[in-house]
Amino acid sequence: MGGQAVMLIPHRTPGMEDAALPPDYQRILAAVRQAAGPAMARQVGEVLGVDVSVRAKLEPLRGKLVRLADRGWLRKLPDGRFTTRL
């Protein structure tokens, strides 16, 4: 498959739209919003159709969730779940 280019995830500023994010990150954000309350990476993966039983597929997703949290798009809770900032 080859190496995936690292895409720049912009820091969220007031009024910034999801469209500023790469499409796969937009889908992750939408999946977290769909969840009823804070979501684990596994739940987000299930919504996105990721084979969550395979750790190697779940870890990159968790990394993307953390990246979104680091940039202000999501909030990471102490228990490791993710929620929207609003």
Side-chain angles (χ1 to χ4, degrees), residues 12-72:
R12 186 162 189 257
T13 55
M16 186 180 274
E17 298 291 325
D18 294 358
L21 293 169
D24 53 334
Y25 285 87
Q26 291 180 38
R27 285 193 297 273
I28 291 168
L29 212 51
V32 174
R33 286 198 182 115
Q34 275 179 28
M40 297 295 291
R42 175 177 302 278
Q43 291 169 276
V44 175
E46 286 168 354
V47 170
L48 296 174
V50 173
D51 185 352
V52 295
S53 65
V54 180
R55 189 176 179 85
K57 294 200 192 274
L58 194 55
E59 285 311 311
L61 174 60
R62 191 183 318 279
K64 288 179 177 180
L65 284 160
V66 169
R67 214 164 296 134
L68 284 169
D70 288 346
R71 306 281 197 299

Side-chain angles (χ1 to χ4, degrees), residues 64-82:
K64 288 179 177 180
L65 284 160
V66 169
R67 214 164 296 134
L68 284 169
D70 288 346
R71 306 281 197 299
W73 293 90
L74 292 175
R75 203 158 55 103
K76 186 175 184 198
L77 303 178
D79 65 3
R81 293 181 303 165
F82 295 87

